[in-house]
Amino acid sequence: MRRERETLSRQAHDIWAAKRLADGWRYGEARDDVEKTHPNLVAYEDLDDGDKSYDRELIDGTIRLLIKLGFRIERDPTSEQPR
């Protein structure tokens, strides 16, 4: 499940970054809401562990909520595994 958690966290970061870029943001050493720069507009792999933990917590919370709502998460044994 650890690999899947990282895959989902990476996807969450990529979606966030794509939205920011589409809204005119770009990479910058510091976050600046006026200039629209943000230091986390980098590949997920280039984030430090503190910043990655934000995405991991988002995914963990989403999974907990789905389970609380009665959903069951299980792997389809016939599907191809993410890498």
Side-chain angles (χ1 to χ4, degrees), residues 22-41:
D23 288 343
W25 287 71
R26 64 188 190 289
Y27 171 80
E29 293 284 322
R31 178 178 177 158
D32 184 321
D33 292 348
V34 174
E35 295 295 319
K36 291 188 170 184
T37 60
H38 202 294
N40 289 351
L41 283 172

Side-chain angles (χ1 to χ4, degrees), residues 12-70:
H13 175 72
D14 290 349
I15 291 168
W16 170 85
K19 172 89 171 90
R20 289 281 183 172
L21 292 169
D23 288 343
W25 287 71
R26 64 188 190 289
Y27 171 80
E29 293 284 322
R31 178 178 177 158
D32 184 321
D33 292 348
V34 174
E35 295 295 319
K36 291 188 170 184
T37 60
H38 202 294
N40 289 351
L41 283 172
V42 296
Y44 181 78
E45 293 76 19
D46 295 333
L47 294 173
D48 64 35
D49 280 336
D51 292 320
K52 285 180 182 177
S53 71
Y54 177 85
D55 296 309
R56 291 175 185 139
E57 290 171 13
L58 174 68
I59 294 305
D60 290 346
T62 301
I63 291 171
R64 281 192 301 273
L65 176 60
L66 287 169
I67 291 169
K68 184 177 180 180
L69 292 173

